[in-house]
Amino acid sequence: MQRREESTENNSAAATWVDQQVTFTAGGMTIYGTYRHPAHSTGNVPAALLIAGSGPTDRDGNDAQMQNLNTLKTVADWLSSDGVATLRYDKLGSGKTGLGTYTAATAAQIDVSIFTDEATSALQYLSKQSGVDPQHLSVVGHSEGALYALLLATKTGTTGGVPKIAALMLLEPSSIRLLDVLKEQIEGQIAAAEKGAQLAAATGATLTQQLDVAITSIRTTGTVPPNLPKELTSVFNPANAKYIAEIDAYDPASLAAKLPPSMPVLTSCSNADIQVTCDQVQHLIGGLSRADLDAVKLTGVDHMLKEDNSRDAANYDKSLPFSTVLRDAIKKFTSVK
């Protein structure tokens, strides 16, 4: 959150907060969300837009398979305790928003612009709410949501007016190009399967070669090559090739370098995050040389911000405590200076 002068108008941390169910439109579709704000007027308060990670992730940070992740809901809880209003929303493909005007047959047409339009419209909606201080708007992005936070803050690939963003919080952020992330993850899975004698070395070598072919095809033509093995079609297929090609074109560090000088930015990484490594986040941090940066390095915290050192994604949906270190870092970041 942008450092701001102390004001009696912003003394809202002890207020009663309500979750208001709201809608706004983006791309001709109705987007459903939750606007958390003081129940009664306490003067203008800062506000933050929360953007979920990849896949069909809803306003609370959950999906159809895992309903107890609650990553964004928890961040909203933290921020209201700090006197910050929030808007979180069911992005296209999730929650009450669903597929909107799309169907399973037309899902391959979904591209990056649809999600940037959603985020832009959400920020516009938030900025216009009575009691929100439009000079103190932040964007909080979790995982891939951090990339969309950077797109908004740099007005890259956006249409329509993006309200001025005062600060960014990039939590376990996507920090290198998407296809590079997928290559690291898949090669790691192949190596683990070979080590555990679940996959023959020759088969692993063939999969690695076909992985490189798929990545080259997507980057050069925006399409997946034919006859990919089943081990790869769950990741690369005609339904998602367009989206992957478009999002892969963005290097988060290059976007970060375009932020306004001295913009306050909070980043987090953890040694127990199996999806985003601290080395990857360091790449992103390399683009934040002009930012007012708070970089938080966590220990034993998983990708969903929960305290879990197991490095096992099966634990994501368990009722585990969220990181107290990250919570304290966010409180400090949003505090009145």
Side-chain angles (χ1 to χ4, degrees), residues 74-121:
T74 297
V75 173
D77 291 341
W78 290 346
L79 289 174
S80 57
S81 295
D82 298 336
V84 181
T86 57
L87 174 64
R88 59 192 199 270
Y89 61 95
D90 294 335
K91 66 178 186 177
L92 185 68
S94 74
K96 197 170 180 180
T97 299
L99 283 173
T101 57
Y102 292 87
T103 65
T106 60
Q109 299 172 16
I110 295 174
D111 59 15
V112 170
S113 69
I114 293 167
F115 296 100
T116 54
D117 286 349
E118 282 186 338
T120 300
S121 295

Side-chain angles (χ1 to χ4, degrees), residues 12-24:
S12 58
T16 299
W17 292 72
V18 296
D19 279 345
Q20 179 182 349
Q21 306 309 301
V22 300
T23 62
F24 55 91

Side-chain angles (χ1 to χ4, degrees), residues 194 199-209:
E194 289 177 352
L199 190 70
T203 303
T206 299
L207 282 175
T208 300
Q209 181 182 38

Side-chain angles (χ1 to χ4, degrees), residues 38-309:
H40 306 288
S41 176
T42 57
N44 286 348
V45 298
L49 173 66
L50 311 186
I51 305 179
S54 62
T57 310
D58 68 17
R59 72 186 83 178
D60 291 337
N62 299 321
D63 60 32
Q65 283 71 46
M66 294 187 175
Q67 290 291 305
N68 194 39
L69 301 176
N70 292 326
T71 305
L72 293 192
K73 183 179 183 298
T74 297
V75 173
D77 291 341
W78 290 346
L79 289 174
S80 57
S81 295
D82 298 336
V84 181
T86 57
L87 174 64
R88 59 192 199 270
Y89 61 95
D90 294 335
K91 66 178 186 177
L92 185 68
S94 74
K96 197 170 180 180
T97 299
L99 283 173
T101 57
Y102 292 87
T103 65
T106 60
Q109 299 172 16
I110 295 174
D111 59 15
V112 170
S113 69
I114 293 167
F115 296 100
T116 54
D117 286 349
E118 282 186 338
T120 300
S121 295
L123 192 61
Q124 289 172 341
Y125 178 93
L126 181 61
S127 71
K128 294 174 182 176
Q129 298 312 298
S130 175
V132 163
D133 183 351
Q135 299 304 311
H136 292 99
L137 292 176
S138 295
V139 180
V140 182
H142 173 245
S143 193
E144 189 180 86
L147 179 61
Y148 283 97
L150 288 167
L151 291 172
L152 282 189
T154 58
K155 299 183 179 180
T156 302
T158 60
T159 57
V162 178
K164 181 180 178 180
I165 297 170
L168 295 177
M169 284 182 262
L170 311 176
L171 308 180
E172 305 305 299
S174 296
S175 299
I176 61 176
R177 292 174 65 183
L178 176 60
L179 284 169
D180 292 337
V181 173
L182 295 175
K183 179 178 172 64
E184 284 188 19
Q185 291 178 346
I186 294 171
E187 286 182 344
Q189 292 165 2
I190 291 172
E194 289 177 352
K195 185 176 181 180
Q198 298 166 311
L199 190 70
T203 303
T206 299
L207 282 175
T208 300
Q209 181 182 38
Q210 290 172 316
L211 171 63
D212 290 338
V213 170
I215 288 174
T216 299
S217 177
I218 292 172
R219 281 183 168 165
T220 56
T221 70
T223 62
V224 294
N227 303 318
L228 281 179
K230 66 180 185 303
E231 292 88 350
L232 298 180
T233 54
S234 61
V235 180
F236 308 115
N237 56 73
N240 65 19
K242 177 179 175 65
Y243 179 82
I244 289 177
E246 289 184 354
I247 201 71
D248 175 71
Y250 295 114
D251 176 6
S254 297
L255 289 173
K258 298 177 183 179
L259 292 172
S262 300
M263 173 178 276
V265 179
L266 172 72
T267 64
S268 75
C269 77
S270 172
N271 68 337
D273 188 336
I274 60 174
Q275 292 181 239
V276 174
T277 69
C278 284
D279 284 345
Q280 290 173 359
V281 176
Q282 195 59 46
H283 172 75
L284 169 62
I285 288 173
L288 291 168
S289 59
R290 300 190 306 166
D292 178 6
L293 177 64
D294 288 346
V296 181
K297 197 170 226 183
L298 304 169
T299 300
V301 175
D302 69 16
H303 190 64
M304 299 305 159
L305 315 182
K306 295 179 179 181
E307 295 180 356
D308 178 24
N309 203 33

